Amino acid sequence: MAIRNLRLEGDEILSKKSREVEVIDDKLQTLIDDMIDTMHKYNGVGLAAVQVGILKRVVVIDLYDDKGPIVLINPVILKTKGEQEVDEGCLSFPNKFAKIIRPEEVVAEYTDREGKRVKVKAKDLLAQAICHELDHLEGEVFVDKILPGTLEYIEPEKEQKRHD
């Protein structure tokens, strides 16, 4: 298992569409494990394969509850319900946050890492994370969808200069 390099704002791979996964093999399992490790290292809630430079339709999400990480291969959103205004950030856009309108609930279908097709009804943060990560698979990033005037840059703690 390894920490992969994150692709950051300005990297053109982030605007490319990801391809369907044809086969779930050892190489894909290693990618999934690396993605989970990378997401955890940077305290992310979700990570799409494109964010580590791999154009495959693979997403990992961890709400840091007792369920552990969820792996979504070839995910699709079947339906959405309602809307919520949420604060959102992205590991590929470090220290940037903004408000976005996302569905309150989604029904998604995906293949898990064992190859079983699974349907999930997600609400709130999980619904938000699924929408955010599936946008990545389409080459869309959250800064393209923000509510005007809500983008904030938060200076990282360790880089702040002291003025005393």
Side-chain angles (χ1 to χ4, degrees), residues 93-145:
F93 293 78
N95 310 308
K96 287 191 174 176
F97 301 91
K99 293 196 180 305
I100 294 194
I101 302 295
R102 291 279 188 202
E104 203 165 19
E105 292 180 20
V106 299
V107 175
E109 189 177 55
Y110 61 91
T111 302
D112 68 13
R113 66 188 304 173
E114 282 79 44
K116 290 197 302 275
R117 204 67 186 155
V118 178
K119 212 182 251 191
V120 63
K121 185 175 181 180
K123 293 177 157 179
D124 305 322
L125 182 58
L126 182 56
Q128 177 186 352
I130 288 171
C131 291
H132 177 105
E133 299 310 328
L134 268 63
D135 281 352
H136 275 300
L137 301 182
E138 297 302 319
E140 298 170 8
V141 291
F142 91 108
V143 292
D144 296 336
K145 298 181 167 222

Side-chain angles (χ1 to χ4, degrees), residues 19-45:
R19 294 183 293 276
E20 292 275 318
V21 172
E22 304 288 331
V23 60
I24 299 173
D25 56 11
D26 289 346
K27 192 174 169 192
L28 188 73
Q29 296 290 356
T30 299
L31 170 64
I32 291 166
D33 290 336
D34 290 354
M35 286 173 62
I36 291 168
D37 288 349
T38 303
M39 173 180 65
H40 286 157
K41 176 176 176 28
Y42 295 105
N43 301 313
V45 170

Side-chain angles (χ1 to χ4, degrees), residues 51-82:
Q51 291 178 273
V52 292
I54 309 290
L55 285 170
K56 288 193 182 282
R57 298 185 78 79
V58 178
V59 164
V60 296
I61 295 173
D62 195 342
L63 300 183
Y64 300 92
D65 53 16
D66 56 359
K67 296 180 179 88
I70 310 165
V71 176
L72 301 87
I73 300 167
N74 298 332
V76 289
I77 292 174
L78 302 174
K79 60 183 187 197
T80 64
K81 182 176 159 194

